[in-house]
Amino acid sequence: MQLEGSCHCAAVRFTVESHEPVPYLRCYCCICRKTAGTGGFAINLGAVHATLRVQGREHLSVYRAKLEDGRQSTGRRHFCKHCGTALWLWDPTWPDLVHPNAGAIDTALPQPPALTHMMLGSKPDWVQAHVRPADASFDDYPDESLADWHRRNNQSF
């Protein structure tokens, strides 16, 4: 599925092919929550890095988070340097993947049959995780990858 995305001020626009476009995974870690979260969590999708096409690349900035142990994250969080919109995460550890932030996507996304809530151990008290009976929840990382979740739920694109 081709996704189209943009920042709020429209200085950056992008397209990317995604085999994992269902916004089911809510991450409550402090990095995602503080750099891209709107409800106390962030939602990232899975896409093919080689298909990423960007207009307005000169308006991008990159943030590499500081990890709890003091090291710098290998993940590169791309955002618009004018309006601050979180756009996508790319990590050279997995160079074939890119993770667009669902909030930056302009294309209509499929509704997930259930949600996965991850990193709930990092969730602040003010955030209410609305975990429904069909949802999965994890204090740390989930048991399955984005691709595995899509296969299990017959969500192929």
Side-chain angles (χ1 to χ4, degrees), residues 43-66:
I43 302 171
N44 294 314
L45 307 172
V48 181
H49 184 254
T51 67
L52 180 64
R53 302 292 176 256
V54 181
Q55 295 176 341
R57 192 173 288 274
E58 68 273 18
H59 303 291
L60 287 173
S61 283
V62 174
Y63 175 67
R64 291 182 61 195
K66 184 177 179 181

Side-chain angles (χ1 to χ4, degrees), residues 33-149:
R33 180 172 34 87
K34 290 185 177 202
T35 62
T38 55
F41 56 86
I43 302 171
N44 294 314
L45 307 172
V48 181
H49 184 254
T51 67
L52 180 64
R53 302 292 176 256
V54 181
Q55 295 176 341
R57 192 173 288 274
E58 68 273 18
H59 303 291
L60 287 173
S61 283
V62 174
Y63 175 67
R64 291 182 61 195
K66 184 177 179 181
L67 302 174
E68 288 181 5
D69 64 7
R71 291 179 301 127
Q72 190 174 43
S73 169
T74 56
R76 285 139 171 97
R77 288 170 163 76
H78 293 75
F79 64 96
C80 175
K81 65 182 176 183
H82 303 294
C83 67
T85 300
L87 299 167
W88 65 83
L89 166 75
W90 178 78
D91 191 320
T93 307
W94 301 278
D96 297 336
L97 301 174
V98 65
H99 298 286
N101 185 283
I105 299 301
D106 300 317
T107 304
L109 297 173
Q111 288 283 329
L115 300 174
T116 296
H117 303 265
M118 69 178 271
M119 305 300 281
L120 285 166
S122 299
K123 180 185 74 58
D125 290 340
W126 67 265
V127 173
Q128 295 180 13
H130 299 284
V131 181
R132 301 172 301 185
D135 293 351
S137 60
F138 301 88
D139 282 340
D140 202 15
Y141 290 97
D143 294 337
E144 60 189 350
S145 69
L146 288 168
D148 290 341
W149 183 93

